[in-house]
Amino acid sequence: MPSRRRTLLKVIILGDSGVGKTSLMNQYVNKKFSNQYKATIGADFLTKEVQFEDRLFTLQIWDTAGQERFQSLGVAFYRGADCCVLVYDVNSMKSFDNLNNWREEFLIQASPSDPENFPFVLIGNKVDVDGGNSRVVSEKKAKAWCASKGNIPYFETSAKEGTNVEEAFQCIAKNALKSGEEEELYLPDTIDVGTSSQQRSSGCEC
Amino acid sequence: MIADGAEDEEKWLAAGAAAFKQNAFYMQRAIDSNNLKDALKYSAQMLGELRTSKLSPHKYYDLYMRAFDELRKLEIFFMEETRRGCSVIELYELVQHAGNILPRLYLLCTAGSVYIKTKEAPAKDILKDLVEMCRGIQHPLRGLFLRSYLAQVSRDKLPDIGSEYEGDADTVTDAVEFVLLNFTEMNKLWVRMQHQVSHDLCCIACESLPFDDPELRLAVGLSGLQGPAREKERRERERSELRDLVGKNLHVLSQLEGVDLDMYRDTVLPRVLEQIVNCRDEIAQIYLVDCIIQVFPDEYHLQTLDVLLGACPQLQPSIDIMTVLSRLMERLSSYAALNVEVLPYFLQVEAFSKLNNAIGKVIEAQEDMPILSAVTLYSSLLKFTLHVHPDRLDYADQVLGSCIKQLSGKGKIDDSRATKEIVTLLSAPLEKYNDVVTALKLTNYPLVMEYLDNETKRIMATVIIRSIMKNNTLIATAEKVEALLELIGGLINDPDESQGVEVDEDDFEEGQNSVARLIHMLYNDDPEEMFKIISILKNHFLTGGPKRLKFTVPPLVVSALKLIRRLPVEGDNPFGKEASVSATKIFQFLNQAIKLGQIPLVLNQLCYSLRFLSLSVGAFCLLQIIEALPNVPSPDLAFRLYLQCAEAANKCDEEPIAYEFFTQAYILYEEEISDSKAQVTALQLIIGTLQRMHVFGVENRDTLTHKAMGYSSKLLKKPDQCRAVYGCSHLFWLEDHEAIQDGERVLLCLKRALKIANSAQQMISTAQGSSTVSVTLFIEMLNKYLYFYEKGIPQITVESVESLIKLIKNEEPMASDPSAESFFASTLRFMEFQKQKGGAIGDRYEEIKV
Ligand SMILES: Nc1nc2c(ncn2[C@@H]2O[C@H](COP(=O)(O)OP(=O)(O)O)[C@@H](O)[C@H]2O)c(=O)[nH]1
Ligand SMILES: [Mg+2]
């Protein structure tokens, strides 16, 4: 088999609703930010080309709803992720406390082959709010959490001002690339394909 | 038909996935060897797996995601092909050779995406073509996923403002048209699922029969009737799983830069609402209206409120519009709360009256709307107006008024959830203003409470009191106190009781204690007003029966006593003797309050009524003590209260009242205090208090002193008698009152005490007991003598002192009792010390020959 060039990197952004997942993605991909709050429905992705070590990659960034109400189909899109970005709002303790849940939910649902070493990146967003005065989760606390989960890289960002967003995604891309997640190897047992599907689908031609 | 068992379904998914992987493998191999023809062949076969009818939406989504990932590779390959010189137009044609329509359309969308990227044709034309072509799939599940694929691949290729695909021919209007069209088609598919009998029905539809055909609708509807209820339930569950695919389009619209307020108001909202209203499907309506509210920004909602609200009455009458409207108001409330600068817009668009009207209309339209829904709506509206128009109390009152209109004529609410919601409703103003005084201004507030059952009234009363305590709200006028008492009536006078409904004892006590604490917050610096407040409280408490009085009267008495202390001395009373509040009046009140407790006493609940007196004594010190007090024997404490009151009366120069209190204290002493130890303490209190009284004339004073003397000599134990009697000596000699300086009687008193000490000694020696007690008594007597001797009372002679010292020295057991010995030694040291002082006192002590 020819060695496959990995050019597509799949990244999933998770976190409570309102922490700034959509804003981070928009800031990174489109260099745009809006103060307006617009809920995300279902899973949505944007892509961005990234240059890394002289090679071009397509970063496929999946933004999620964060509210169960708008995640009616489940999370099948987790599969094949190369990196998972956990986001919390440094001004909300609850969003920080929920990180464990998000991480665990991801590991269960995406079931990566090597969960111990699956690359996560943590982002503490909205550091700009009130000049940092309304902050309730300290950098130290966040870093301690990262350390306890196997040295997860940590970034503090402002999607609003664009602070550290580029750096965070550079790291995300790097980790996604390094990720041990190879596509599952598949070897066909028969050459003849193409007839079997008929039985499983409806009789009509659509 | 979808397999019923989840197990079967797993099998189907596994089979589909296996065939899928195999084809994907060959597709990839073809891609790796740049074989376009094979890549198309295998990808089409792979996509054929999506034609299955055997999977539930969840499992189908699983398969779809696999396809989605594979198609990304194909897309990259297509892109590379065009770079290598393959014409994208040809490619776009080529993919259409796939045998089955579903794989064909997936491939077409993928090629279309590449086509747009190459910019060889206007994006809008390609998009339009794709969205039209997708009509080929009328099977709801497959159609929905196909279109959601289209939505996803086109997501970043829409000719939005600022997008690289925007151009002369391509404008954001085209982008919006495209998404709207896709949305409309998806919603139709989604709604149709509800009426679909079996999945195979799609085939009829697929044969391009227009589904709008009324006959077909009828046929579908009829066969739908045959399906069991379970079938309907399953269908609805499946639809619910699929809803985000439809809603996603609205998300895409909201993310478009070009969808500004104008575009939203003029195109997006009307078109989306039109689709929602016309589809006449409950599940779709409730979900999509919620989507609109959540995905579009608050300022858009604010500016298009009439449109959105205007659509509500057009929705199916059975839908839960309440939840939707509540969410809208919640969103707007927090928007206003977080962005003060937008408040003027709320006023400008008259958001409040629009919402108020809309709610009125919705409620009107749904005649038998459950009371819970109506109350919830008003509760949200109230929260909204409190946040957005905190200064417009009239709005808040209006909401309460509308709520009453809904409640009226229906009696008390018996739905417990509705009741809870009313509590939420009524709590909202308290939480917002942190000040019950503001809530008291809402005239409809007490009227809403009328509809609550007694238990909830009590809960509400507790909530109100808690708010007052938490915020330290002072209720300063009689009028407000009156209004407040009406509100917390549930705790003050509970009809449940008379109806024999049992109230939990703990709850009752907690409630009454909270009322007791509340009294502290009812305060005015002006004695006139304060007296009014106290009188109002008294009148209300009287209606609550004796069971409550024991909690409520004590703090009231405390308040009254405090008021007395604040009154100027009668002569300087700015109100003059004629003033409406005077110490006399307050004392009358106090007496009344105490008597109030005496009625049940007379009527057989002796201890019971006295307990309240005991409490009030505790309140003198600190309110917290109140809680601990009920465990203390009551008559004793009641007795203290009388003395306290007497002392207060003394301060105000109210002789008859002070005398009355004393008399009451004496009665209690005689009738209730029987324990010898308690008697000793009580008597000490009597003597101490009486000593501080200056209000009494000779006659009253004599009577009281005489009685005290009598009590003293009647104590059980000789030493106690002795001590009490010599204590009485102080009653005849007040330092600063020349009128009360009677040396004769001081001496008489001391002599009598001495006599008792003597007899105590005799009694002890005959009983062969230790006589240290009597020695100690003698030493104590010596100290008393010294005290009066020092004052220069002529009747206390140096001889009497000397002989007392001699007597003590001769006492046998002195040597055997170290404590008596040291007591005596220190007395002698004291005398020496006084002598050293020199001056008049020094001279007096100089005379004593030890
Ligand atoms: N001040 C500030 N606001 C932000 C930042 N990131 C997001 N927001 C705001 O927070 C709200 C929620 O953001 P969003 O990206 O939709 O959160 P999501 O639900 O996690 O996707 C929006 O109103 C954003 O404007 C940030 O870095 N700073
Ligand atoms: Mg979001």
Side-chain angles (χ1 to χ4, degrees), chain A residues 6-88:
Chain A
R6 284 170 51 80
T7 53
L8 193 76
L9 300 174
K10 183 169 177 180
V11 171
I12 314 274
I13 310 182
L14 298 178
D16 281 6
S17 91
V19 296
K21 300 180 293 299
T22 306
S23 302
L24 281 165
M25 182 174 78
N26 273 333
Q27 177 62 260
Y28 177 60
V29 176
N30 299 320
K31 302 274 170 291
K32 281 194 292 199
F33 175 81
S34 156
N35 265 319
Q36 299 164 334
Y37 180 65
K38 307 168 189 172
T40 305
I41 292 185
D44 182 30
F45 79 74
L46 288 179
T47 55
K48 179 157 167 128
E49 306 277 310
V50 284
Q51 183 98 22
F52 203 78
E53 287 166 356
D54 291 338
R55 280 171 62 199
L56 209 58
F57 295 93
T58 303
L59 209 53
Q60 190 185 70
I61 307 167
W62 287 80
D63 178 25
T64 57
Q67 294 180 61
E68 243 165 75
R69 182 144 65 95
F70 294 128
Q71 199 74 269
S72 65
L73 264 175
V75 291
F77 62 92
Y78 285 4
R79 193 191 16 240
D82 297 298
C83 178
C84 174
V85 184
L86 300 171
V87 186
Y88 76 97

Side-chain angles (χ1 to χ4, degrees), chain A residues 181-201:
Chain A
E181 293 301 305
E182 274 305 324
E183 294 188 41
E184 45 184 325
L185 271 185
Y186 175 80
L187 289 173
D189 36 43
T190 161
I191 303 297
D192 176 43
V193 292
T195 48
S196 59
S197 71
Q198 286 303 319
Q199 302 145 18
R200 283 185 302 277
S201 52

Side-chain angles (χ1 to χ4, degrees), chain B residues 84-142:
Chain B
R84 278 193 289 265
C86 172
S87 150
V88 72
I89 304 162
E90 266 172 43
L91 190 70
Y92 195 67
E93 290 294 321
L94 205 57
V95 294
Q96 302 193 38
H97 292 298
N100 290 317
I101 180 166
L102 189 67
R104 197 192 306 153
L105 288 174
Y106 271 101
L107 290 175
L108 192 67
C109 289
T110 312
S113 160
V114 175
Y115 198 173
I116 298 174
K117 258 196 201 160
T118 62
K119 297 180 188 157
E120 288 190 25
K124 77 166 181 191
D125 293 345
I126 303 165
L127 291 171
K128 193 159 172 32
D129 193 40
L130 291 174
V131 78
E132 291 292 342
M133 294 291 268
C134 284
R135 280 183 205 272
I137 301 297
Q138 289 295 322
H139 182 289
L141 183 75
R142 291 174 218 160

Side-chain angles (χ1 to χ4, degrees), chain B residues 303-542:
Chain B
Q303 298 296 338
T304 54
L305 213 47
D306 357 16
V307 184
L308 191 57
L309 295 174
C312 290
Q314 300 176 57
L315 301 176
Q316 299 305 98
S318 52
I319 83 161
D320 178 19
I321 193 72
M322 164 203 101
T323 308
V324 173
L325 282 180
S326 296
R327 281 192 185 139
L328 173 64
M329 287 185 278
E330 258 157 48
R331 245 203 102 149
L332 290 177
S333 307
S334 55
Y335 177 51
L338 293 173
N339 308 276
V340 199
E341 71 280 0
V342 303
L343 286 180
Y345 295 108
F346 279 84
L347 285 172
Q348 193 191 339
V349 303
E350 297 179 320
F352 172 75
S353 57
K354 278 178 191 163
L355 286 167
N356 197 15
N357 283 341
I359 291 171
K361 279 205 186 107
V362 166
I363 290 178
E364 216 172 280
Q366 302 189 21
E367 247 177 47
D368 41 29
M369 180 187 257
I371 204 78
L372 169 65
S373 305
V375 174
T376 309
L377 273 177
Y378 284 120
S379 185
S380 314
L381 181 59
L382 183 63
K383 267 186 211 138
F384 169 85
T385 172
L386 288 173
H387 271 114
V388 180
H389 307 292
D391 50 334
R392 293 299 299 263
L393 270 181
D394 55 327
Y395 284 175
D397 217 16
Q398 220 173 305
V399 179
L400 294 175
S402 309
C403 190
I404 290 170
K405 235 194 257 161
Q406 279 310 301
L407 297 171
S408 67
K410 299 197 176 105
K412 306 249 166 183
I413 310 159
D414 52 5
D415 173 349
S416 69
R417 281 189 306 162
T419 313
K420 239 191 199 150
E421 198 55 49
I422 296 234
V423 172
T424 311
L425 174 93
L426 291 172
S427 303
L430 301 174
E431 276 157 28
K432 173 64 192 177
Y433 294 113
N434 282 331
D435 176 9
V436 77
V437 176
T438 313
L440 291 177
K441 289 185 195 142
L442 301 167
T443 52
N444 283 319
Y445 198 96
L447 300 179
V448 176
M449 291 202 52
E450 286 304 303
Y451 292 92
L452 296 173
D453 59 71
N454 294 325
E455 191 194 336
T456 317
K457 272 186 191 164
R458 286 195 294 273
I459 292 173
M460 213 37 240
T462 315
V463 169
I464 292 171
I465 294 177
R466 206 179 299 140
S467 154
I468 295 175
M469 302 311 291
K470 195 184 101 206
N471 300 300
N472 266 319
T473 317
L474 227 48
I475 319 287
T477 67
E479 193 189 351
K480 282 179 194 154
V481 169
E482 183 81 58
L484 175 66
L485 288 172
E486 290 295 335
L487 285 190
I488 60 165
L491 286 175
I492 304 242
N493 175 5
D494 185 359
D496 261 1
E497 222 169 46
S498 49
Q499 288 158 19
V501 179
E502 237 177 81
V503 178
D504 181 82
E505 196 57 36
D506 288 346
D507 286 353
F508 176 81
E509 277 199 17
E510 203 186 306
Q512 295 312 306
N513 279 327
S514 73
V515 174
R517 281 191 290 271
L518 169 73
I519 296 174
H520 254 27
M521 307 309 297
L522 318 177
Y523 178 84
N524 196 313
D525 268 334
D526 172 32
E528 287 260 10
E529 194 67 24
M530 189 62 210
F531 187 66
K532 268 194 218 155
I533 290 176
I534 291 177
S535 308
I536 289 172
L537 285 171
K538 186 196 75 185
N539 291 339
H540 278 264
F541 289 160
L542 274 177

